[in-house]
C-alpha cells in the first residue's frame, strides 16, 4: 500500500475522536467480530465520547437475538489526550447464516453489518478477510436514470422528462423535473428548477415536489419531483435542459482515499466532509431533444381559437321550466386534457326569440398543473315568447394531436318549457271582464287590479319628518357613537407588530429550551423576513442578500447565515449538532423589537 494511503487510513482512525471533541456526546457503534460462524456470538458496542449515554432499546432484526450484557466506562487516547467514554455492550447471537444489517441505536449512528456463515464452511479463511460493509438501503435500490450522470462530486443529479413524440405549436406538454441530492453533501437548494434558454417557459410549476428516498449507486439520495407543463410558440427543433441552483460540499480527496475510508464506515466517511465550506453551483440535466410542428392550415375551422388537446363537450340548462321574462342559465362543459387557456366559446351572440347576455367561464383543474380539467361556460338567457322552445346545440373546434386532425364537437339541442308571464295572464283576465265598449260585464276579474290611493288625514307641516328639528338629533347621536366606536377599535400597527414579535420570541425560546434547531431556525427566518419587509415596505421574497448587507451592515451577514442554516435543515434534513441559541436570540430580539445592541 502506498504511504499516502497508509496516512489516510491513520487519519481515518483518528477522525471519530477528533470529531467527538468538537461535538460532545457523539455516539457510534461497532461490532466484533464482524464475521462469525453459526453458533458463535458477536458483541455490539455502542460508545459515547465525552458525554452520557442513555439506555438504548434493543434492535429487532429477523434471524438475530440480542441480549444486554452491561455497561462499561473508560478512557480513549487521541494524540496523547484522554477522552472519557461510556459503552453499552450487547450480545448478538444468530439463528441462521447470512448477512445481517443492524440499524443504528443512537440518534446519529450508522447501521453495522454482521456476516454469519455455516459451521461446515469449506473456506474458513473467508472469515478473516475484511469485507466492505455496504450501506444497507433504507429503500429498494434504484438504478440511475438512463443518460443521467451524478454531478457535484457525486452529490446530485437533475433529470428532465419530456414526451419523445413531436408536439405542435400551442400544445401544452406535461414535463417532470427530478432533482436528486445526497443529504449532508448537498446542504441547500437555492431556488426552484428552471428551463435553460428562452424558447420555453415552465407554466404552473407544482408548489410542493413529490419527495422519495432512494439508494442510487450505494448512496442514499432524496429525490424531489416537480410536475409542470410547457408550450411552444414557434415550430422547430429544440434542445431542452433543466437546471437547479444548489449549495454543495466538495471534497478534495482522491477516489482511492475515499474508498479506503468508506470501508471503515461511519463516522469515518462523514469526517472527510466536515469543515468544508459549501459552494453555490448550478446542476443541469442532460439535454433532451423536442421537435415542434406547425399547426396544419388545411381543414382549419373558421371558429378555431387555438385549442390543442383531447376534449369532450356537453351542455345543460337550468331551470328546465320558467315563465316568459324570467332568466335561465345555459352551460357548456368542455372536459379533457390540453391547453385550457386557449379553450374559448362566445356561445350565442344572438338567438331568435331570446335575449342573450355575455358568457362567463370558470376552470376546475383535475391535476396540480392544470393540464387536465373542465372548463364551464355560463350564459344567461331570457325567453321572449311562451311555449316549448328549442335552444340549438353549441359547437367547439380544436386540434387533436393524437389523431393529427382538426375535430369539431357539437352538443345536442336543449328543449325548455316557457310559461306565460304573470303580467300577461292578468291583462287577459282584465280584458275578459269588460265589454267591447269598455263597460264592465258584471263578472269579477281574477287578475290584478289597479292601485287606488287611500285617503289620508291633513297635516300642518309640509317639510319631511327627517328635516324637522326633533328628528335631526337622532342621526347626530348615532354618528357620534359610530365615530367613538371606530376610534376605540381602530388597529394600532405598532401594537400589532409588538404582539407578533412577542409570539415569535416565545416560540423561539421554547425551541431553544428543547434544543429543536430545525424549528428554531425556521421560525426565526420567517419572523425576521416579515418584520424587515414591513419595516422596508416591500415583499419578503424581494429581500436579497445585497439588501440585507446594505441596510443592516454586519447584522445582515448574521441574518444571511441564519437563513442558510434554515434552508440546510429544511432541504437536506441536516440537523445542526450544536447551536448558540443565546447569541441568535439576542440578534433576533434586537431586529424584532428594534432595540439594536
Amino acid at each position: 500500500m502506498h504511504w499516502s494511503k497508509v496516512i489516510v487510513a491513520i487519519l481515518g482512525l483518528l477522525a471519530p475522536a477528533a470529531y467527538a471533541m468538537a461535538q460532545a456526546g457523539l455516539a457510534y457503534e461497532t461490532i466484533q467480530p464482524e464475521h462469525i460462524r453459526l453458533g458463535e456470538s458477536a458483541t455490539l458496542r455502542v460508545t459515547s465520547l465525552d458525554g452520557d449515554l442513555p439506555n438504548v432499546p434493543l434492535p429487532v432484526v429477523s434471524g438475530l437475538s440480542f441480549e444486554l450484557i452491561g455497561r462499561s466506562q473508560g478512557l480513549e487516547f487521541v494524540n496523547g489526550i484522554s477522552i472519557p467514554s461510556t459503552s453499552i455492550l450487547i450480545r448478538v447471537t444468530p439463528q441462521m447464516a447470512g448477512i445481517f444489517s443492524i440499524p443504528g441505536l443512537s440518534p446519529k449512528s450508522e447501521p453495522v453489518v454482521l456476516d454469519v456463515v455455516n459451521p461446515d464452511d469449506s473456506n474458513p479463511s473467508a472469515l478473516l478477510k475484511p469485507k466492505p460493509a455496504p450501506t444497507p438501503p433504507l429503500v429498494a435500490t434504484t438504478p440511475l436514470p438512463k443518460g443521467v450522470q451524478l454531478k457535484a462530486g457525486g452529490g446530485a443529479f437533475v433529470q428532465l422528462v419530456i414526451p419523445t413524440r413531436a408536439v405542435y405549436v400551442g400544445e401544452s406538454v406535461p414535463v417532470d423535473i427530478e432533482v436528486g441530492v445526497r443529504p449532508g453533501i448537498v446542504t441547500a437548494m437555492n431556488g426552484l428548477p428552471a428551463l435553460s434558454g428562452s424558447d420555453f417557459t415552465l407554466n404552473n410549476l407544482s408548489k410542493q415536489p413529490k419527495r422519495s428516498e432512494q439508494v442510487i449507486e450505494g448512496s442514499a439520495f432524496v429525490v424531489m419531483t416537480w410536475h409542470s407543463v410547457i408550450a411552444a410558440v414557434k415550430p422547430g427543433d429544440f434542445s431542452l435542459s433543466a437546471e437547479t441552483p444548489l449549495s454543495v460540499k466538495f471534497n478534495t480527496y482522491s477516489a482511492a482515499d475515499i474508498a479506503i475510508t468508506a470501508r471503515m464506515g461511519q463516522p469515518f466517511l462523514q469526517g472527510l466532509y466536515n469543515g468544508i465550506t459549501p459552494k453555490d453551483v448550478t446542476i443541469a440535466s442532460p439535454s433532451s431533444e423536442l421537435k415542434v410542428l406547425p399547426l396544419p392550415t388545411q381543414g382549419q375551422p373558421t371558429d378555431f381559437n387555438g385549442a390543442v388537446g383531447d376534449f369532450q363537450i356537453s351542455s345543460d340548462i337550468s331551470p328546465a321550466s320558467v315563465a316568459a321574462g324570467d332568466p335561465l342559465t345555459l352551460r357548456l362543459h368542455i372536459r379533457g386534457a390540453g391547453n385550457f387557456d386557449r379553450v374559448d366559446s362566445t356561445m350565442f351572440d344572438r338567438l331568435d326569440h331570446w335575449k342573450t347576455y355575455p358568457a362567463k367561464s370558470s376552470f376546475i383543474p383535475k391535476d396540480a398543473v392544470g393540464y387536465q380539467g373542465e372548463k364551464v361556460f355560463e350564459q344567461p338567457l331570457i325567453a321572449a315568447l311562451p311555449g316549448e322552445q328549442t335552444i340549438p346545440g353549441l359547437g367547439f373546434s380544436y386540434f387533436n394531436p393524437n389523431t393529427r386532425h382538426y375535430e369539431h364537437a357539437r352538443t345536442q339541442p336543449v328543449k325548455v318549457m316557457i310559461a306565460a308571464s304573470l303580467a300577461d295572464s292578468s291583462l287577459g283576465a282584465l280584458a275578459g271582464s269588460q265589454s267591447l265598449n269598455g263597460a264592465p260585464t258584471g263578472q269579477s276579474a281574477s287578475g290584478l287590479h289597479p292601485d287606488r290611493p287611500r285617503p289620508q288625514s291633513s297635516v300642518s307641516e309640509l317639510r319631511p319628518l327627517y328635516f324637522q328639528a326633533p328628528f335631526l338629533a337622532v342621526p347626530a347621536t348615532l354618528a357620534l357613537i359610530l365615530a367613538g366606536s371606530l376610534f376605540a377599535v381602530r388597529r394600532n400597527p405598532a401594537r400589532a407588530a409588538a404582539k407578533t414579535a412577542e409570539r415569535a420570541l416565545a416560540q423561539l425560546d421554547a425551541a431553544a429550551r428543547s434544543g429543536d434547531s430545525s424549528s428554531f431556525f425556521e421560525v426565526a427566518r420567517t419572523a425576521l423576513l416579515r418584520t424587515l419587509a414591513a419595516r422596508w415596505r416591500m415583499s419578503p421574497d424581494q429581500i436579497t442578500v445585497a439588501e440585507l448587507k446594505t441596510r443592516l451592515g454586519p447584522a445582515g451577514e448574521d441574518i444571511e447565515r441564519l437563513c442558510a442554516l434554515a434552508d440546510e435543515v429544511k432541504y437536506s434534513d441536516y440537523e445542526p449538532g450544536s447551536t448558540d441559541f443565546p447569541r441568535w436570540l439576542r440578534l433576533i430580539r434586537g431586529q424584532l423589537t428594534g432595540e439594536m445592541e
Side-chain angles (χ1 to χ4, degrees):
M1 180 180 296
H2 195 271
W3 278 109
S4 62
K5 298 182 179 180
V6 175
I7 294 174
V8 172
I10 295 175
L11 293 177
L13 293 173
L14 298 179
Y19 184 72
M21 294 175 65
Q23 296 185 1
L26 173 67
Y28 64 93
E29 299 176 11
T30 59
I31 189 168
Q32 292 295 332
E34 297 180 353
H35 311 277
I36 62 175
R37 297 179 184 275
L38 188 61
E40 300 175 348
S41 297
T43 301
L44 177 64
R45 180 186 295 269
V46 184
T47 303
S48 174
L49 300 179
D50 194 22
D52 294 333
L53 181 64
N55 293 330
V56 295
L58 294 179
V60 178
V61 179
S62 178
L64 297 179
S65 64
F66 299 87
E67 179 184 0
L68 182 63
I69 301 176
R71 182 186 295 263
S72 64
Q73 295 183 348
L75 296 175
E76 293 192 13
F77 293 88
V78 179
N79 295 333
I81 301 175
S82 61
I83 300 177
S85 64
T86 303
S87 300
I88 294 178
L89 305 179
I90 301 174
R91 179 183 293 113
V92 184
T93 305
Q95 277 85 41
M96 64 180 68
I99 299 178
F100 301 89
S101 175
I102 303 174
L105 302 181
S106 56
K108 296 184 179 180
S109 61
E110 295 291 330
V112 295
V113 176
L114 177 63
D115 189 2
V116 182
V117 299
N118 292 314
D120 56 349
D121 196 318
S122 59
N123 187 16
S125 61
L127 297 174
L128 303 178
K129 294 181 180 180
K131 298 181 180 180
T135 302
L138 302 177
V139 294
T141 301
T142 304
L144 196 65
K146 184 178 180 180
V148 178
Q149 296 179 353
L150 293 178
K151 297 184 178 181
F157 70 87
V158 180
Q159 181 188 18
L160 175 64
V161 181
I162 63 175
T164 57
R165 64 172 178 85
V167 300
Y168 288 87
V169 173
E171 179 184 358
S172 292
V173 182
V175 298
D176 292 339
I177 301 178
E178 294 184 355
V179 179
V181 298
R182 289 182 63 182
I185 310 303
V186 177
T187 60
M189 289 188 63
N190 301 325
L192 293 175
L195 288 180
S196 60
S198 58
D199 296 323
F200 293 84
T201 57
L202 289 174
N203 299 324
N204 303 326
L205 185 67
S206 55
K207 297 180 180 180
Q208 294 296 334
K210 180 181 178 182
R211 184 187 179 97
S212 63
E213 295 182 0
Q214 301 178 14
V215 174
I216 300 175
E217 295 189 357
S219 300
F221 277 77
V222 175
V223 180
M224 293 164 286
T225 304
W226 282 269
H227 305 289
S228 182
V229 292
I230 60 175
V233 297
K234 61 181 180 180
D237 296 329
F238 300 94
S239 180
L240 301 180
S241 177
E243 54 186 21
T244 302
L246 304 173
S247 293
V248 184
K249 290 182 178 180
F250 288 93
N251 69 81
T252 57
Y253 298 90
S254 65
D257 295 338
I258 296 177
I260 293 174
T261 312
R263 295 191 182 99
M264 301 177 184
Q266 294 284 355
F268 302 95
L269 182 60
Q270 187 64 32
L272 292 177
Y273 294 91
N274 292 336
I276 300 177
T277 302
K279 296 182 180 180
D280 294 338
V281 297
T282 299
I283 306 300
S285 69
S287 298
S288 300
E289 304 300 325
L290 182 64
K291 186 178 183 61
V292 180
L293 303 175
L295 289 174
T297 57
Q298 183 178 3
Q300 186 177 102
T302 56
D303 60 342
F304 177 69
N305 293 319
V308 181
D310 190 1
F311 303 101
Q312 304 84 40
I313 71 170
S314 62
S315 64
D316 62 74
I317 194 168
S318 64
S321 177
V322 295
D326 292 342
L328 50 81
T329 302
L330 177 64
R331 296 181 182 87
L332 173 64
H333 302 265
I334 302 179
R335 306 176 182 87
N339 57 347
F340 278 94
D341 57 330
R342 301 298 299 272
V343 172
D344 195 13
S345 175
T346 57
M347 300 184 75
F348 292 112
D349 293 332
R350 181 181 176 278
L351 191 60
D352 293 340
H353 310 303
W354 291 85
K355 183 176 179 59
T356 61
Y357 295 88
K360 297 181 180 180
S361 64
S362 61
F363 179 64
I364 305 173
K366 299 299 183 181
D367 54 21
V369 296
Y371 177 67
Q372 298 180 347
E374 176 183 0
K375 200 165 188 178
V376 181
F377 297 87
E378 296 183 348
Q379 183 177 27
L381 302 174
I382 295 179
L385 299 177
E388 185 181 63
Q389 302 286 345
T390 299
I391 300 177
L394 294 166
F396 172 68
S397 297
Y398 62 96
F399 181 79
N400 192 331
N402 298 324
T403 61
R404 300 187 177 186
H405 290 91
Y406 290 99
E407 298 186 6
H408 182 79
R410 193 167 189 85
T411 64
Q412 296 294 327
V414 179
K415 292 185 178 181
V416 60
M417 179 60 67
I418 308 299
S421 66
L422 185 60
D424 293 339
S425 301
S426 302
L427 291 176
L430 181 62
S433 62
Q434 298 179 348
S435 62
L436 293 177
N437 58 6
T441 60
Q443 299 179 355
S444 61
S446 59
L448 297 178
H449 296 276
D451 294 334
R452 294 186 176 89
R454 296 180 180 180
Q456 299 180 354
S457 59
S458 61
V459 295
S460 60
E461 180 64 55
L462 296 179
R463 288 187 304 169
L465 177 63
Y466 47 82
F467 282 153
Q468 299 180 17
F471 187 81
L472 292 177
V474 176
T477 304
L478 294 177
L480 291 175
I481 295 175
L482 178 60
S485 302
L486 292 176
F487 179 80
V489 301
R490 69 175 183 175
R491 180 178 179 87
N492 189 336
R495 182 170 54 189
K499 290 184 178 180
T500 303
E502 290 177 2
R503 287 195 297 268
L505 290 173
Q507 295 178 359
L508 291 173
D509 288 335
R513 286 193 301 269
S514 61
D516 188 355
S517 299
S518 60
S519 298
F520 180 87
F521 286 117
E522 184 64 25
V523 173
R525 176 175 63 177
T526 302
L528 282 173
L529 292 181
R530 289 180 178 176
T531 301
L532 295 177
R535 186 181 303 166
W536 298 339
R537 296 183 179 181
M538 60 192 309
S539 176
D541 55 5
Q542 295 178 345
I543 299 178
T544 62
V545 174
E547 192 80 22
L548 290 174
K549 293 181 179 179
T550 302
R551 293 178 179 263
L552 302 180
E557 297 180 359
D558 292 335
I559 296 177
E560 177 190 0
R561 177 57 182 163
L562 185 145
C563 294
L565 288 174
D567 286 336
E568 191 171 353
V569 172
K570 180 178 180 180
Y571 289 107
S572 64
D573 295 334
Y574 172 71
E575 187 70 22
S578 60
T579 302
D580 189 359
F581 291 112
R583 172 178 173 274
W584 288 116
L585 282 172
R586 288 195 300 270
L587 170 67
I588 299 166
R589 183 175 288 106
Q591 293 295 335
L592 295 184
T593 61
E595 300 175 358
M596 303 300 298
E597 297 183 357

